[in-house]
Amino acid sequence: MAVGNLDASAAMEPAVRKKRRWWFYAIWIVVGLLLVAGVLVVLGVRYWNSAIRTYTTTQSVVVPAIENPAAKQEQLKAKWSAFRKDIEADRPPPPLRLTADDLNVFLSNLPGMSNRVHLVITNDQLQAHFSVPLDRSGQKQLRGRHLNGVATLRLSLQDGWPVLNVASLDANGQPIPRWLQGRIGRQNFFKDIHRDMDTMEFVQRLDNIEVKDGAVIFTPYVVQPAE
């Protein structure tokens, strides 16, 4: 009888909420870029042959490979975990710097993404160089064609909310039309981050996120002691 009560109590206890790994949210960067690609495909449907010739090509762009990505990712995970634990324990650590190489290590471990997106940081700007095959679009005219381009990204923390949007986008060396850039630029690819309370609680403890001096810098909020 006692065993039965214990089993029933255990069943009634809420499941422990599993924290998502830090790199889970970076998937939204990749997904966002692929959504941009999808918008350009729609643009191709509207303006068809002209848009296909202007914004797509039959050749893909070779993305640089990462050497020994698995070992490097473990190092990054440990680095991020220590940073987050210090913040959650109210021991604000020094700002955390993640270079473009660090971010590319993460991307190299995403299934199907290792040869699709490559990040660089130039003049305090985060850029994503991407090459997306359009075979799966379902459009006969797009078979064997690729969407190669460069997206300049804006990453910041605004009123305690992470913001990632596209500042500019070129496809096949051509800037996309202004009306389309306006639509894409208004999207925040981190808009759904509030769905994970663990991550939101962590973000609320950050004072700033910025791209500076060749890295994405996460600065924790430090409470000043009372005088």
Side-chain angles (χ1 to χ4, degrees):
M1 187 70 177
V3 173
N5 290 337
L6 287 174
D7 291 342
S9 299
M12 294 177 62
E13 291 181 0
V16 177
R17 184 170 57 189
K18 184 179 179 180
K19 292 185 178 181
R20 300 182 188 273
R21 293 181 177 180
W22 68 271
W23 47 262
F24 173 84
Y25 299 96
I27 293 177
W28 288 336
I29 298 176
V30 179
V31 172
L33 291 174
L34 295 182
L35 288 176
V36 169
V39 172
L40 288 175
V41 171
V42 174
L43 177 67
V45 173
R46 294 186 59 183
Y47 295 98
W48 213 231
N49 292 332
S50 175
I52 291 176
R53 290 193 303 268
T54 303
Y55 299 109
T56 72
T57 179
T58 57
Q59 301 294 325
S60 63
V61 173
V62 177
V63 173
I66 301 295
E67 295 183 3
N68 198 15
K72 291 181 179 179
Q73 185 172 7
E74 288 303 316
Q75 295 174 359
L76 286 173
K77 285 163 57 178
K79 182 178 180 180
W80 178 269
S81 179
F83 178 75
R84 179 163 180 163
K85 286 180 179 179
D86 281 346
I87 289 178
E88 292 175 344
D90 294 324
R91 300 188 303 266
L96 175 67
R97 293 170 49 89
L98 294 180
T99 66
D101 288 343
D102 292 334
L103 299 177
N104 285 319
V105 168
F106 153 71
L107 290 177
S108 69
N109 282 274
L110 287 178
M113 290 294 108
S114 61
N115 60 343
R116 296 286 179 262
V117 181
H118 182 75
L119 300 175
V120 299
I121 297 177
T122 305
N123 297 327
D124 293 341
Q125 289 186 325
L126 178 62
Q127 293 184 330
H129 296 244
F130 59 90
S131 180
V132 181
L134 301 177
D135 291 333
R136 296 183 181 180
S137 66
Q139 301 296 328
K140 181 179 180 180
Q141 292 88 337
L142 295 175
R143 291 177 185 172
R145 301 194 70 86
H146 300 262
L147 183 69
N148 305 318
V150 179
T152 299
L153 308 175
R154 281 191 297 251
L155 177 63
S156 62
L157 190 66
Q158 299 179 12
D159 298 324
W161 191 272
V163 175
L164 174 69
N165 49 34
V166 178
S168 64
L169 178 64
D170 291 353
N172 198 26
Q174 301 294 325
I176 65 172
R178 290 184 180 180
W179 67 267
L180 183 57
Q181 174 61 58
R183 288 188 180 184
I184 296 173
R186 288 192 293 269
Q187 296 184 40
N188 178 16
F189 296 126
F190 282 151
K191 63 183 178 63
D192 293 327
I193 200 172
H194 66 279
R195 295 180 181 179
D196 188 277
M197 293 305 298
D198 288 327
T199 298
M200 278 306 300
E201 290 173 4
F202 167 73
V203 170
Q204 293 297 318
R205 299 190 182 201
L206 293 178
D207 185 54
N208 196 19
I209 303 175
E210 60 182 334
V211 182
K212 185 178 180 181
D213 298 332
V216 176
I217 302 176
F218 298 82
T219 303
Y221 181 76
V222 179
V223 178
Q224 298 296 330
E227 296 182 357

